[in-house]
Structure formats: C-alpha cells, structure tokens
Amino acid sequence: MDIERVELKLLKVPLKSRFETSFGEVTEKQFLLVSVHGGGETGYGESVAMDYPMYNEETTGTVWYMLEEFLIPKLFTSQVKQPEEVSEAFAFVRRNNMAKAAIEGAVWDLYAKQQGITLASALGGKKQTIDVGVSIGIEPTVEKVVEYVERFVEEGYKRIKVKIKPGFDVNVIEAIRRRFGSDLPLMADANSAYTMQQIDILKQLDDYGLMMIEQPLAHDDIVDHIKLQKELRTPICLDESIHSVEDARKAIELGSCKMINIKIGRVGGLTESRKIHDLCEKHGIPVWCGGMLEMGVGRAHNIAITTLDNFTVPGDTSASDRYWEEDIVEPAVKLAAPGTLAVPEGAGIGYRINELAVQKYLVRSAEFTKR
C-alpha cells in the first residue's frame, strides 16, 4: 500500500444530552480523527478514547502521544501491503489499543478505497443491512429511563440496553418489564459496577428474562465471572475484560461468559475484531458490536464489522441523531427502516467527511509525512 501522509485532528463536540454510566457522566466528547493519505485516496479512522481514563486506561491525550511518537513513525517505516499487517507492525507496543485501532481503521478504509470496494466487503462481510439497538444511560429517575425506552421502541430499535449500578438496577428493569412486557429485547449493562458480594442483586435480575447482563464484575476479571455465570440463568456478556483474541479464547474455555461484545477500539482494531468474531463463531458464542459514543467515522467502521455473519445480536450503532446535533460525515447515519441501518455502497466507509463540521469543532491538528 502507498501511504504518504497522516493527519491528526482533535475535535470537541457537545452531546445533545448528558449520558451517564456507572463510572461517570459525559456531556461532551473529544475525538481524534485520523486520516491516512496515499495513491490519491484518503482513509479515515476515529479514536473512541475519552477525555479521562474512565472506561480504560487510555485518553485522547495518550492516544495522540502514542500516534505521534510511535505508531505513525512505525507505519511509515513498515512495508504494509495489506491492512492486516498493520496490527503486526504495532505488536511491539503493549496495549494502547484505542490508539492502534484509530490508525489501523484509517488504513483499512484507505485500502478499501484504493481497491474500489466497500470496507464491509474488504472485511469479508456480506450483509446489506444490519439490525441495531440503542443504549440508555443512567437517568435521575426510573421514570425518565422508561420515557426513553418508550421513545426508542416507537423508533423501532430492535434491542434496548439500559445502564445499571447498585441502587439503580432491579427497580429499573422491573419498571421497564411492567410497562413493555416480556417480549421487549432487553439487556442490562453494569460497566463493572458490582462484586460477588452483591450476587443476590444480580440473581434477582434472572426473573426478568434479559438477553444478557453485560460486564457485571471487575473490568479485568474473567475468573469471578465464571462463578457468577454458574449462579445465573441470564447469559453474561463480557466487554471490558476482552482486549484480544487470546482474552476471548481464555474466557470461552473457562466458561466466563456466553456472549462477547466486540468494540473495535477496545480490542485494537478491525483485524483483531475479526479474529475474535471468527473464534466466537467457531465456539458458538454470539457477538455484537458495542458503542463508545462514536461520531460518523466510528459508526461507519462499526457498521462494516457488523456485516460479518456471527454478529447476530443488534449492536449499539444507533443513528447519529441519538447523540449529536451534527455529525462529521455526510449523509449523517440514519435508520433505513425501523431498527435497521443500510450498509453504505460507496468505496471504503461509504460516507463523505463534513469538512465544515470538522472545522467547527476543531481544537488541534497536526500533519506527518513520510520521509
């Protein structure tokens, strides 16, 4: 592949409304938009790291540093012929997966554009549409959560995920079930908020027919989740604990979970995401694509990876207007039908960059060229 230049742009964008999880509240988000140029084409990637190390150890600041000091120089000196080789070139750096994923995704997009094919096709995906769900944060009242559920059910989303934490859990799920019945596809996401000492609370959730409970225990645990899964009828889904295909292999072999949430940034890129997908498919473990409050470029990458066969659970890739008044891609990501997104047909990610929006939210930029 011909890679001549890389650009980094730091954007700060306000959310339409606050979004709260068990580890904190977000009202605006910083993004790193990465563009890789070569052969007359430009590929785009987006870092999903947050301002603070709440979800994992990375931040927008650490991602910028890793890209500038290590990953971009390594990309320029590597003889990359296929996008899969980028993750191999970056293997000398431990973790920093969100930094790796941001630039690896841009290379994947560049490759697809140079080949004149969609990013989904480049990854081996075959779906023309994908089913999507929506994630609802922790709200001041249970009633407010129920209001949001009502809205998103009316919009046709095919799975509802609600964030929970100790003291805001069973009561929320019970209220949703009382209002919408047992047929609503519903799951709870704990974001590591519980311990084994609170197993009685988690066991109460068994009574509500949830699709899954996501990451109830510690962010780095696969051992206590084994014990917990044995006590629950509800499938456990692992998120924060899975950073690689090796993590997924160990969790599956140990019986730590029955589902896995694949987030491209968390696992280090599209190549590793595909490896985890393939492993889970081999072992009969359903996967789905989690969200990290992405803007349009990140959403486009999520759409592309979800076209692989074993993404059988609707993911978190809702329409752009779920979180943003204005997106950085054109057209904005919109539902093609209730609960369904169409896979773009254009080369690469299939969306154009809204340069006016990028300039509007731009905080900092830098350019790097191959010497």
Side-chain angles (χ1 to χ4, degrees), residues 19-227:
F19 189 83
E20 183 178 345
T21 71
S22 63
F23 50 69
E25 176 182 295
V26 181
T27 58
E28 63 179 12
K29 192 178 178 194
Q30 291 188 6
F31 294 87
L32 281 183
L33 179 64
V34 181
S35 57
V36 177
H37 305 259
E41 300 286 355
T42 302
Y44 294 96
E46 178 183 314
S47 167
V48 295
M50 298 182 176
D51 304 5
Y52 301 97
M54 299 184 298
Y55 175 80
N56 69 351
E57 69 278 8
E58 290 182 86
T59 68
T60 49
T62 67
V63 169
W64 184 292
Y65 175 78
M66 292 304 301
L67 288 168
E68 181 175 12
E69 294 295 324
F70 300 102
L71 301 181
I72 293 173
K74 184 63 176 179
L75 181 64
F76 283 148
T77 59
S78 300
Q79 299 299 314
V80 174
K81 297 181 179 180
Q82 301 290 328
E84 294 92 338
E85 297 171 7
V86 175
S87 59
E88 297 173 14
F90 291 165
F92 75 103
V93 173
R94 294 190 179 183
R95 296 290 281 269
N96 290 281
N97 284 346
M98 291 179 176
K100 294 176 180 178
I103 191 166
E104 192 234 29
V107 173
W108 268 102
D109 184 34
L110 177 66
Y111 170 81
K113 288 171 177 172
Q114 289 178 347
Q115 299 300 311
I117 59 177
T118 66
L119 178 58
S121 296
L123 292 166
K126 299 175 183 177
K127 301 173 189 173
Q128 294 181 326
T129 62
I130 62 168
D131 291 338
V132 293
V134 69
S135 178
I136 300 173
I138 294 169
E139 294 294 333
T141 66
V142 171
E143 291 74 21
K144 189 65 176 178
V145 173
V146 173
E147 285 180 22
Y148 272 117
V149 175
E150 180 99 44
R151 168 187 161 187
F152 294 126
V153 167
E154 289 176 356
E155 292 179 9
Y157 282 101
K158 296 188 177 181
R159 186 228 63 209
I160 301 293
K161 178 170 85 173
V162 294
K163 300 286 187 177
I164 62 172
K165 66 179 181 179
F168 198 83
D169 39 43
V170 178
N171 53 341
V172 180
I173 300 300
E174 195 278 332
I176 295 171
R177 281 291 185 230
R178 185 171 64 248
R179 170 65 182 82
F180 299 96
S182 60
D183 292 336
L184 177 69
L186 179 65
M187 61 172 287
D189 183 5
N191 288 117
S192 310
Y194 296 82
T195 69
M196 286 297 286
Q197 282 67 49
Q198 295 159 307
I199 190 171
D200 288 344
I201 296 173
L202 296 170
K203 289 177 74 171
Q204 290 180 55
L205 296 175
D206 262 346
D207 297 333
Y208 296 98
L210 298 178
M211 299 174 69
M212 67 190 89
I213 302 173
E214 185 179 1
Q215 197 73 35
L217 305 179
H219 69 95
D220 55 357
D221 173 75
I222 60 173
V223 175
D224 283 346
H225 279 101
I226 305 168
K227 304 172 188 176

Side-chain angles (χ1 to χ4, degrees), residues 213 215-217 221-230 235-238 241-242 247-260 285:
I213 302 173
Q215 197 73 35
L217 305 179
D221 173 75
I222 60 173
V223 175
D224 283 346
H225 279 101
I226 305 168
K227 304 172 188 176
L228 179 60
Q229 184 64 90
K230 290 178 180 178
I236 288 175
C237 171
L238 289 184
S241 295
I242 307 300
D247 287 345
R249 178 188 64 78
K250 293 169 185 175
I252 292 169
E253 290 184 7
L254 290 170
S256 305
C257 63
K258 295 181 180 179
M259 295 184 179
I260 287 179
I285 301 294

Side-chain angles (χ1 to χ4, degrees), residues 27 35 108 140 204 231 235 240 267 276 281 287-288 306 309:
T27 58
S35 57
W108 268 102
Q204 290 180 55
E231 296 290 329
E240 288 96 329
V267 304
I276 295 171
E281 186 173 40
V287 300
W288 57 283
T306 304
D309 288 343

Side-chain angles (χ1 to χ4, degrees), residues 42-45 105 108-110 112-113 117-120 296-301 303-304 329 343-353:
T42 302
Y44 294 96
W108 268 102
D109 184 34
L110 177 66
K113 288 171 177 172
I117 59 177
T118 66
L119 178 58
V297 171
R299 287 176 191 276
H301 284 266
I303 292 169
V329 298
V343 179
E345 297 179 353
I349 60 174
Y351 292 91
R352 302 181 306 275
I353 298 299

